[in-house]
PDB file of all heavy atoms in Angstrom:
ATOM      1  N   VAL M   1     -15.045  31.222  -1.013  1.00 95.00           N
ATOM      2  CA  VAL M   1     -14.496  30.775   0.259  1.00 95.00           C
ATOM      3  C   VAL M   1     -14.039  32.020   1.003  1.00 95.00           C
ATOM      4  O   VAL M   1     -13.382  32.890   0.432  1.00 95.00           O
ATOM      5  CB  VAL M   1     -13.310  29.802   0.053  1.00 95.00           C
ATOM      6  CG1 VAL M   1     -12.665  29.452   1.390  1.00 95.00           C
ATOM      7  CG2 VAL M   1     -13.765  28.539  -0.662  1.00 95.00           C
ATOM      8  N   HIS M   2     -14.407  32.106   2.255  1.00 96.00           N
ATOM      9  CA  HIS M   2     -14.020  33.222   3.101  1.00 96.00           C
ATOM     10  C   HIS M   2     -13.050  32.713   4.161  1.00 96.00           C
ATOM     11  O   HIS M   2     -12.986  31.507   4.427  1.00 96.00           O
ATOM     12  CB  HIS M   2     -15.256  33.832   3.772  1.00 96.00           C
ATOM     13  CG  HIS M   2     -16.323  34.198   2.802  1.00 96.00           C
ATOM     14  ND1 HIS M   2     -16.287  35.350   2.058  1.00 96.00           N
ATOM     15  CD2 HIS M   2     -17.438  33.538   2.411  1.00 96.00           C
ATOM     16  CE1 HIS M   2     -17.337  35.398   1.272  1.00 96.00           C
ATOM     17  NE2 HIS M   2     -18.058  34.307   1.458  1.00 96.00           N
ATOM     18  N   VAL M   3     -12.307  33.607   4.767  1.00 97.00           N
ATOM     19  CA  VAL M   3     -11.426  33.218   5.863  1.00 97.00           C
ATOM     20  C   VAL M   3     -11.895  33.889   7.141  1.00 97.00           C
ATOM     21  O   VAL M   3     -12.456  34.981   7.122  1.00 97.00           O
ATOM     22  CB  VAL M   3      -9.946  33.578   5.584  1.00 97.00           C
ATOM     23  CG1 VAL M   3      -9.399  32.761   4.443  1.00 97.00           C
ATOM     24  CG2 VAL M   3      -9.747  35.053   5.345  1.00 97.00           C
ATOM     25  N   ARG M   4     -11.658  33.185   8.239  1.00 97.00           N
ATOM     26  CA  ARG M   4     -11.923  33.720   9.569  1.00 97.00           C
ATOM     27  C   ARG M   4     -10.830  33.211  10.489  1.00 97.00           C
ATOM     28  O   ARG M   4     -10.179  32.194  10.199  1.00 97.00           O
ATOM     29  CB  ARG M   4     -13.301  33.308  10.066  1.00 97.00           C
ATOM     30  CG  ARG M   4     -13.455  31.804  10.278  1.00 97.00           C
ATOM     31  CD  ARG M   4     -14.641  31.492  11.176  1.00 97.00           C
ATOM     32  NE  ARG M   4     -14.932  30.074  11.258  1.00 97.00           N
ATOM     33  CZ  ARG M   4     -14.260  29.198  12.001  1.00 97.00           C
ATOM     34  NH1 ARG M   4     -13.200  29.574  12.703  1.00 97.00           N
ATOM     35  NH2 ARG M   4     -14.610  27.934  12.023  1.00 97.00           N
ATOM     36  N   PRO M   5     -10.610  33.907  11.604  1.00 97.00           N
ATOM     37  CA  PRO M   5      -9.608  33.411  12.552  1.00 97.00           C
ATOM     38  C   PRO M   5     -10.012  32.045  13.108  1.00 97.00           C
ATOM     39  O   PRO M   5     -11.192  31.759  13.311  1.00 97.00           O
ATOM     40  CB  PRO M   5      -9.618  34.466  13.665  1.00 97.00           C
ATOM     41  CG  PRO M   5     -10.206  35.687  13.042  1.00 97.00           C
ATOM     42  CD  PRO M   5     -11.184  35.186  12.015  1.00 97.00           C
ATOM     43  N   MET M   6      -9.028  31.210  13.347  1.00 96.00           N
ATOM     44  CA  MET M   6      -9.254  29.908  13.945  1.00 96.00           C
ATOM     45  C   MET M   6      -9.624  30.106  15.419  1.00 96.00           C
ATOM     46  O   MET M   6      -9.051  30.953  16.098  1.00 96.00           O
ATOM     47  CB  MET M   6      -7.966  29.074  13.824  1.00 96.00           C
ATOM     48  CG  MET M   6      -8.133  27.605  14.140  1.00 96.00           C
ATOM     49  SD  MET M   6      -6.576  26.683  13.914  1.00 96.00           S
ATOM     50  CE  MET M   6      -6.493  26.557  12.138  1.00 96.00           C
ATOM     51  N   THR M   7     -10.582  29.310  15.916  1.00 95.00           N
ATOM     52  CA  THR M   7     -10.941  29.368  17.330  1.00 95.00           C
ATOM     53  C   THR M   7      -9.878  28.636  18.154  1.00 95.00           C
ATOM     54  O   THR M   7      -9.085  27.855  17.611  1.00 95.00           O
ATOM     55  CB  THR M   7     -12.309  28.719  17.596  1.00 95.00           C
ATOM     56  OG1 THR M   7     -12.207  27.310  17.333  1.00 95.00           O
ATOM     57  CG2 THR M   7     -13.400  29.351  16.732  1.00 95.00           C
ATOM     58  N   ARG M   8      -9.894  28.853  19.464  1.00 93.00           N
ATOM     59  CA  ARG M   8      -8.936  28.156  20.339  1.00 93.00           C
ATOM     60  C   ARG M   8      -9.141  26.639  20.286  1.00 93.00           C
ATOM     61  O   ARG M   8      -8.180  25.880  20.283  1.00 93.00           O
ATOM     62  CB  ARG M   8      -9.030  28.666  21.762  1.00 93.00           C
ATOM     63  CG  ARG M   8      -8.485  30.059  21.912  1.00 93.00           C
ATOM     64  CD  ARG M   8      -8.487  30.513  23.372  1.00 93.00           C
ATOM     65  NE  ARG M   8      -8.231  31.934  23.446  1.00 93.00           N
ATOM     66  CZ  ARG M   8      -7.031  32.498  23.405  1.00 93.00           C
ATOM     67  NH1 ARG M   8      -5.961  31.725  23.268  1.00 93.00           N
ATOM     68  NH2 ARG M   8      -6.893  33.800  23.488  1.00 93.00           N
ATOM     69  N   ALA M   9     -10.390  26.188  20.261  1.00 94.00           N
ATOM     70  CA  ALA M   9     -10.664  24.741  20.190  1.00 94.00           C
ATOM     71  C   ALA M   9     -10.145  24.165  18.871  1.00 94.00           C
ATOM     72  O   ALA M   9      -9.536  23.084  18.856  1.00 94.00           O
ATOM     73  CB  ALA M   9     -12.156  24.484  20.346  1.00 94.00           C
ATOM     74  N   GLU M  10     -10.377  24.873  17.775  1.00 95.00           N
ATOM     75  CA  GLU M  10      -9.866  24.423  16.478  1.00 95.00           C
ATOM     76  C   GLU M  10      -8.345  24.417  16.491  1.00 95.00           C
ATOM     77  O   GLU M  10      -7.707  23.503  15.942  1.00 95.00           O
ATOM     78  CB  GLU M  10     -10.361  25.337  15.359  1.00 95.00           C
ATOM     79  CG  GLU M  10     -11.829  25.212  15.067  1.00 95.00           C
ATOM     80  CD  GLU M  10     -12.343  26.292  14.134  1.00 95.00           C
ATOM     81  OE1 GLU M  10     -11.777  27.421  14.115  1.00 95.00           O
ATOM     82  OE2 GLU M  10     -13.324  26.017  13.422  1.00 95.00           O
ATOM     83  N   TYR M  11      -7.750  25.420  17.118  1.00 95.00           N
ATOM     84  CA  TYR M  11      -6.298  25.537  17.194  1.00 95.00           C
ATOM     85  C   TYR M  11      -5.693  24.322  17.898  1.00 95.00           C
ATOM     86  O   TYR M  11      -4.708  23.746  17.425  1.00 95.00           O
ATOM     87  CB  TYR M  11      -5.910  26.824  17.918  1.00 95.00           C
ATOM     88  CG  TYR M  11      -4.422  26.994  18.089  1.00 95.00           C
ATOM     89  CD1 TYR M  11      -3.656  27.555  17.073  1.00 95.00           C
ATOM     90  CD2 TYR M  11      -3.784  26.588  19.243  1.00 95.00           C
ATOM     91  CE1 TYR M  11      -2.280  27.710  17.217  1.00 95.00           C
ATOM     92  CE2 TYR M  11      -2.412  26.740  19.396  1.00 95.00           C
ATOM     93  CZ  TYR M  11      -1.669  27.296  18.385  1.00 95.00           C
ATOM     94  OH  TYR M  11      -0.308  27.437  18.532  1.00 95.00           O
ATOM     95  N   ASP M  12      -6.269  23.931  19.038  1.00 92.00           N
ATOM     96  CA  ASP M  12      -5.734  22.794  19.793  1.00 92.00           C
ATOM     97  C   ASP M  12      -5.754  21.517  18.956  1.00 92.00           C
ATOM     98  O   ASP M  12      -4.771  20.778  18.920  1.00 92.00           O
ATOM     99  CB  ASP M  12      -6.515  22.597  21.090  1.00 92.00           C
ATOM    100  CG  ASP M  12      -6.288  23.720  22.093  1.00 92.00           C
ATOM    101  OD1 ASP M  12      -5.277  24.453  21.958  1.00 92.00           O
ATOM    102  OD2 ASP M  12      -7.132  23.876  22.992  1.00 92.00           O
ATOM    103  N   LEU M  13      -6.848  21.265  18.273  1.00 92.00           N
ATOM    104  CA  LEU M  13      -6.956  20.085  17.412  1.00 92.00           C
ATOM    105  C   LEU M  13      -5.962  20.175  16.257  1.00 92.00           C
ATOM    106  O   LEU M  13      -5.267  19.206  15.933  1.00 92.00           O
ATOM    107  CB  LEU M  13      -8.382  19.948  16.876  1.00 92.00           C
ATOM    108  CG  LEU M  13      -8.639  18.769  15.945  1.00 92.00           C
ATOM    109  CD1 LEU M  13      -8.358  17.443  16.628  1.00 92.00           C
ATOM    110  CD2 LEU M  13     -10.076  18.813  15.435  1.00 92.00           C
ATOM    111  N   TRP M  14      -5.882  21.342  15.644  1.00 94.00           N
ATOM    112  CA  TRP M  14      -4.967  21.559  14.512  1.00 94.00           C
ATOM    113  C   TRP M  14      -3.515  21.343  14.937  1.00 94.00           C
ATOM    114  O   TRP M  14      -2.745  20.712  14.207  1.00 94.00           O
ATOM    115  CB  TRP M  14      -5.175  22.966  13.959  1.00 94.00           C
ATOM    116  CG  TRP M  14      -4.157  23.415  12.974  1.00 94.00           C
ATOM    117  CD1 TRP M  14      -3.928  22.923  11.718  1.00 94.00           C
ATOM    118  CD2 TRP M  14      -3.212  24.475  13.144  1.00 94.00           C
ATOM    119  NE1 TRP M  14      -2.904  23.613  11.107  1.00 94.00           N
ATOM    120  CE2 TRP M  14      -2.455  24.572  11.973  1.00 94.00           C
ATOM    121  CE3 TRP M  14      -2.946  25.357  14.193  1.00 94.00           C
ATOM    122  CZ2 TRP M  14      -1.438  25.508  11.806  1.00 94.00           C
ATOM    123  CZ3 TRP M  14      -1.943  26.293  14.031  1.00 94.00           C
ATOM    124  CH2 TRP M  14      -1.199  26.353  12.843  1.00 94.00           C
ATOM    125  N   GLN M  15      -3.127  21.827  16.112  1.00 92.00           N
ATOM    126  CA  GLN M  15      -1.744  21.676  16.561  1.00 92.00           C
ATOM    127  C   GLN M  15      -1.346  20.212  16.688  1.00 92.00           C
ATOM    128  O   GLN M  15      -0.232  19.842  16.329  1.00 92.00           O
ATOM    129  CB  GLN M  15      -1.524  22.408  17.891  1.00 92.00           C
ATOM    130  CG  GLN M  15      -1.235  23.867  17.740  1.00 92.00           C
ATOM    131  CD  GLN M  15       0.047  24.107  16.980  1.00 92.00           C
ATOM    132  OE1 GLN M  15       1.144  23.804  17.438  1.00 92.00           O
ATOM    133  NE2 GLN M  15      -0.079  24.669  15.785  1.00 92.00           N
ATOM    134  N   SER M  16      -2.246  19.390  17.192  1.00 89.00           N
ATOM    135  CA  SER M  16      -1.940  17.952  17.316  1.00 89.00           C
ATOM    136  C   SER M  16      -1.724  17.331  15.945  1.00 89.00           C
ATOM    137  O   SER M  16      -0.741  16.616  15.726  1.00 89.00           O
ATOM    138  CB  SER M  16      -3.086  17.228  18.025  1.00 89.00           C
ATOM    139  OG  SER M  16      -3.200  17.676  19.341  1.00 89.00           O
ATOM    140  N   ARG M  17      -2.648  17.608  15.028  1.00 91.00           N
ATOM    141  CA  ARG M  17      -2.527  17.045  13.672  1.00 91.00           C
ATOM    142  C   ARG M  17      -1.317  17.616  12.937  1.00 91.00           C
ATOM    143  O   ARG M  17      -0.622  16.898  12.220  1.00 91.00           O
ATOM    144  CB  ARG M  17      -3.804  17.320  12.883  1.00 91.00           C
ATOM    145  CG  ARG M  17      -4.958  16.466  13.311  1.00 91.00           C
ATOM    146  CD  ARG M  17      -6.204  16.594  12.470  1.00 91.00           C
ATOM    147  NE  ARG M  17      -6.065  17.298  11.229  1.00 91.00           N
ATOM    148  CZ  ARG M  17      -7.029  18.029  10.680  1.00 91.00           C
ATOM    149  NH1 ARG M  17      -8.195  18.151  11.280  1.00 91.00           N
ATOM    150  NH2 ARG M  17      -6.852  18.635   9.528  1.00 91.00           N
ATOM    151  N   LEU M  18      -1.090  18.919  13.101  1.00 91.00           N
ATOM    152  CA  LEU M  18       0.018  19.579  12.411  1.00 91.00           C
ATOM    153  C   LEU M  18       1.352  18.951  12.807  1.00 91.00           C
ATOM    154  O   LEU M  18       2.180  18.641  11.953  1.00 91.00           O
ATOM    155  CB  LEU M  18       0.022  21.077  12.725  1.00 91.00           C
ATOM    156  CG  LEU M  18       1.171  21.881  12.127  1.00 91.00           C
ATOM    157  CD1 LEU M  18       1.063  21.924  10.607  1.00 91.00           C
ATOM    158  CD2 LEU M  18       1.167  23.295  12.712  1.00 91.00           C
ATOM    159  N   ALA M  19       1.572  18.755  14.101  1.00 93.00           N
ATOM    160  CA  ALA M  19       2.839  18.186  14.565  1.00 93.00           C
ATOM    161  C   ALA M  19       3.024  16.771  14.023  1.00 93.00           C
ATOM    162  O   ALA M  19       4.113  16.415  13.562  1.00 93.00           O
ATOM    163  CB  ALA M  19       2.897  18.198  16.090  1.00 93.00           C
ATOM    164  N   GLU M  20       1.967  15.974  14.058  1.00 94.00           N
ATOM    165  CA  GLU M  20       2.061  14.604  13.551  1.00 94.00           C
ATOM    166  C   GLU M  20       2.373  14.587  12.055  1.00 94.00           C
ATOM    167  O   GLU M  20       3.249  13.843  11.606  1.00 94.00           O
ATOM    168  CB  GLU M  20       0.760  13.853  13.824  1.00 94.00           C
ATOM    169  CG  GLU M  20       0.535  13.571  15.289  1.00 94.00           C
ATOM    170  CD  GLU M  20      -0.865  13.050  15.588  1.00 94.00           C
ATOM    171  OE1 GLU M  20      -1.652  12.836  14.634  1.00 94.00           O
ATOM    172  OE2 GLU M  20      -1.163  12.863  16.780  1.00 94.00           O
ATOM    173  N   ASP M  21       1.660  15.407  11.291  1.00 90.00           N
ATOM    174  CA  ASP M  21       1.869  15.456   9.839  1.00 90.00           C
ATOM    175  C   ASP M  21       3.252  15.984   9.486  1.00 90.00           C
ATOM    176  O   ASP M  21       3.929  15.454   8.602  1.00 90.00           O
ATOM    177  CB  ASP M  21       0.799  16.320   9.168  1.00 90.00           C
ATOM    178  CG  ASP M  21      -0.586  15.705   9.233  1.00 90.00           C
ATOM    179  OD1 ASP M  21      -0.710  14.512   9.592  1.00 90.00           O
ATOM    180  OD2 ASP M  21      -1.561  16.436   8.940  1.00 90.00           O
ATOM    181  N   TYR M  22       3.674  17.050  10.171  1.00 90.00           N
ATOM    182  CA  TYR M  22       4.972  17.654   9.892  1.00 90.00           C
ATOM    183  C   TYR M  22       6.099  16.673  10.228  1.00 90.00           C
ATOM    184  O   TYR M  22       7.046  16.511   9.450  1.00 90.00           O
ATOM    185  CB  TYR M  22       5.116  18.946  10.689  1.00 90.00           C
ATOM    186  CG  TYR M  22       6.380  19.720  10.436  1.00 90.00           C
ATOM    187  CD1 TYR M  22       6.783  20.064   9.145  1.00 90.00           C
ATOM    188  CD2 TYR M  22       7.176  20.147  11.488  1.00 90.00           C
ATOM    189  CE1 TYR M  22       7.931  20.791   8.910  1.00 90.00           C
ATOM    190  CE2 TYR M  22       8.330  20.887  11.267  1.00 90.00           C
ATOM    191  CZ  TYR M  22       8.699  21.200   9.988  1.00 90.00           C
ATOM    192  OH  TYR M  22       9.848  21.920   9.770  1.00 90.00           O
ATOM    193  N   ALA M  23       5.977  15.999  11.357  1.00 94.00           N
ATOM    194  CA  ALA M  23       6.994  15.008  11.734  1.00 94.00           C
ATOM    195  C   ALA M  23       7.072  13.900  10.682  1.00 94.00           C
ATOM    196  O   ALA M  23       8.165  13.518  10.251  1.00 94.00           O
ATOM    197  CB  ALA M  23       6.666  14.427  13.104  1.00 94.00           C
ATOM    198  N   ALA M  24       5.930  13.405  10.246  1.00 93.00           N
ATOM    199  CA  ALA M  24       5.914  12.331   9.241  1.00 93.00           C
ATOM    200  C   ALA M  24       6.533  12.795   7.928  1.00 93.00           C
ATOM    201  O   ALA M  24       7.284  12.039   7.285  1.00 93.00           O
ATOM    202  CB  ALA M  24       4.479  11.854   9.014  1.00 93.00           C
ATOM    203  N   GLU M  25       6.248  14.039   7.516  1.00 88.00           N
ATOM    204  CA  GLU M  25       6.834  14.564   6.277  1.00 88.00           C
ATOM    205  C   GLU M  25       8.350  14.678   6.388  1.00 88.00           C
ATOM    206  O   GLU M  25       9.072  14.345   5.446  1.00 88.00           O
ATOM    207  CB  GLU M  25       6.242  15.935   5.957  1.00 88.00           C
ATOM    208  CG  GLU M  25       4.812  15.888   5.482  1.00 88.00           C
ATOM    209  CD  GLU M  25       4.176  17.260   5.363  1.00 88.00           C
ATOM    210  OE1 GLU M  25       4.691  18.234   5.959  1.00 88.00           O
ATOM    211  OE2 GLU M  25       3.148  17.369   4.670  1.00 88.00           O
ATOM    212  N   GLN M  26       8.836  15.131   7.532  1.00 91.00           N
ATOM    213  CA  GLN M  26      10.277  15.278   7.725  1.00 91.00           C
ATOM    214  C   GLN M  26      10.976  13.920   7.738  1.00 91.00           C
ATOM    215  O   GLN M  26      12.066  13.768   7.189  1.00 91.00           O
ATOM    216  CB  GLN M  26      10.570  16.049   9.018  1.00 91.00           C
ATOM    217  CG  GLN M  26      10.108  17.490   9.001  1.00 91.00           C
ATOM    218  CD  GLN M  26      10.897  18.346   8.027  1.00 91.00           C
ATOM    219  OE1 GLN M  26      11.916  17.956   7.469  1.00 91.00           O
ATOM    220  NE2 GLN M  26      10.422  19.557   7.812  1.00 91.00           N
ATOM    221  N   VAL M  27      10.344  12.926   8.352  1.00 94.00           N
ATOM    222  CA  VAL M  27      10.911  11.571   8.370  1.00 94.00           C
ATOM    223  C   VAL M  27      10.905  11.001   6.956  1.00 94.00           C
ATOM    224  O   VAL M  27      11.907  10.454   6.493  1.00 94.00           O
ATOM    225  CB  VAL M  27      10.133  10.664   9.349  1.00 94.00           C
ATOM    226  CG1 VAL M  27      10.545   9.205   9.180  1.00 94.00           C
ATOM    227  CG2 VAL M  27      10.359  11.124  10.786  1.00 94.00           C
ATOM    228  N   SER M  28       9.790  11.150   6.263  1.00 89.00           N
ATOM    229  CA  SER M  28       9.675  10.640   4.893  1.00 89.00           C
ATOM    230  C   SER M  28      10.704  11.273   3.960  1.00 89.00           C
ATOM    231  O   SER M  28      11.251  10.607   3.079  1.00 89.00           O
ATOM    232  CB  SER M  28       8.262  10.898   4.366  1.00 89.00           C
ATOM    233  OG  SER M  28       8.142  10.478   3.036  1.00 89.00           O
ATOM    234  N   ALA M  29      10.981  12.561   4.182  1.00 85.00           N
ATOM    235  CA  ALA M  29      11.958  13.268   3.353  1.00 85.00           C
ATOM    236  C   ALA M  29      13.390  12.933   3.747  1.00 85.00           C
ATOM    237  O   ALA M  29      14.334  13.379   3.097  1.00 85.00           O
ATOM    238  CB  ALA M  29      11.730  14.775   3.452  1.00 85.00           C
ATOM    239  N   GLY M  30      13.567  12.163   4.828  1.00 88.00           N
ATOM    240  CA  GLY M  30      14.907  11.787   5.265  1.00 88.00           C
ATOM    241  C   GLY M  30      15.624  12.883   6.029  1.00 88.00           C
ATOM    242  O   GLY M  30      16.846  12.831   6.195  1.00 88.00           O
ATOM    243  N   ARG M  31      14.886  13.853   6.531  1.00 90.00           N
ATOM    244  CA  ARG M  31      15.514  14.982   7.225  1.00 90.00           C
ATOM    245  C   ARG M  31      15.586  14.777   8.735  1.00 90.00           C
ATOM    246  O   ARG M  31      16.441  15.360   9.388  1.00 90.00           O
ATOM    247  CB  ARG M  31      14.761  16.263   6.911  1.00 90.00           C
ATOM    248  CG  ARG M  31      14.804  16.578   5.406  1.00 90.00           C
ATOM    249  CD  ARG M  31      14.079  17.823   5.072  1.00 90.00           C
ATOM    250  NE  ARG M  31      14.838  18.942   5.608  1.00 90.00           N
ATOM    251  CZ  ARG M  31      14.409  20.185   5.616  1.00 90.00           C
ATOM    252  NH1 ARG M  31      13.230  20.468   5.126  1.00 90.00           N
ATOM    253  NH2 ARG M  31      15.156  21.151   6.110  1.00 90.00           N
ATOM    254  N   TRP M  32      14.658  13.987   9.304  1.00 95.00           N
ATOM    255  CA  TRP M  32      14.615  13.772  10.750  1.00 95.00           C
ATOM    256  C   TRP M  32      14.551  12.290  11.068  1.00 95.00           C
ATOM    257  O   TRP M  32      14.035  11.485  10.287  1.00 95.00           O
ATOM    258  CB  TRP M  32      13.389  14.437  11.361  1.00 95.00           C
ATOM    259  CG  TRP M  32      13.393  15.931  11.383  1.00 95.00           C
ATOM    260  CD1 TRP M  32      14.359  16.784  10.945  1.00 95.00           C
ATOM    261  CD2 TRP M  32      12.329  16.762  11.865  1.00 95.00           C
ATOM    262  NE1 TRP M  32      13.971  18.079  11.127  1.00 95.00           N
ATOM    263  CE2 TRP M  32      12.735  18.104  11.696  1.00 95.00           C
ATOM    264  CE3 TRP M  32      11.084  16.513  12.409  1.00 95.00           C
ATOM    265  CZ2 TRP M  32      11.941  19.185  12.062  1.00 95.00           C
ATOM    266  CZ3 TRP M  32      10.285  17.578  12.790  1.00 95.00           C
ATOM    267  CH2 TRP M  32      10.722  18.902  12.621  1.00 95.00           C
ATOM    268  N   ASP M  33      15.013  11.966  12.267  1.00 94.00           N
ATOM    269  CA  ASP M  33      14.950  10.613  12.808  1.00 94.00           C
ATOM    270  C   ASP M  33      13.528  10.344  13.331  1.00 94.00           C
ATOM    271  O   ASP M  33      12.934  11.197  14.008  1.00 94.00           O
ATOM    272  CB  ASP M  33      15.968  10.500  13.949  1.00 94.00           C
ATOM    273  CG  ASP M  33      15.976   9.147  14.593  1.00 94.00           C
ATOM    274  OD1 ASP M  33      16.087   8.153  13.864  1.00 94.00           O
ATOM    275  OD2 ASP M  33      15.854   9.093  15.838  1.00 94.00           O
ATOM    276  N   ALA M  34      12.986   9.184  13.046  1.00 95.00           N
ATOM    277  CA  ALA M  34      11.599   8.863  13.415  1.00 95.00           C
ATOM    278  C   ALA M  34      11.356   8.908  14.923  1.00 95.00           C
ATOM    279  O   ALA M  34      10.287   9.317  15.366  1.00 95.00           O
ATOM    280  CB  ALA M  34      11.216   7.485  12.872  1.00 95.00           C
ATOM    281  N   GLU M  35      12.341   8.506  15.708  1.00 95.00           N
ATOM    282  CA  GLU M  35      12.150   8.435  17.156  1.00 95.00           C
ATOM    283  C   GLU M  35      11.967   9.807  17.806  1.00 95.00           C
ATOM    284  O   GLU M  35      11.304   9.924  18.824  1.00 95.00           O
ATOM    285  CB  GLU M  35      13.322   7.706  17.827  1.00 95.00           C
ATOM    286  CG  GLU M  35      13.357   6.209  17.557  1.00 95.00           C
ATOM    287  CD  GLU M  35      13.855   5.884  16.153  1.00 95.00           C
ATOM    288  OE1 GLU M  35      14.765   6.567  15.647  1.00 95.00           O
ATOM    289  OE2 GLU M  35      13.298   4.946  15.550  1.00 95.00           O
TER     290      GLU M  35
END
């Protein structure tokens, strides 16, 4: 497996998923309010 820099298009998609996943993990862990 090799690594390469993420493209801008990949970055935009990743940011949307990352925020959703991170928010869900924080809520599940009881650290943040769901709203």
Side-chain angles (χ1 to χ4, degrees):
V1 175
H2 307 280
V3 293
R4 65 162 172 78
M6 192 178 284
T7 66
R8 289 184 192 278
E10 290 170 332
Y11 178 85
D12 291 341
L13 179 60
W14 169 67
Q15 276 297 293
S16 295
R17 286 186 12 212
L18 177 67
E20 291 170 4
D21 292 348
Y22 183 52
E25 288 172 342
Q26 294 292 350
V27 169
S28 177
R31 298 180 70 188
W32 290 359
D33 179 52
E35 289 76 37

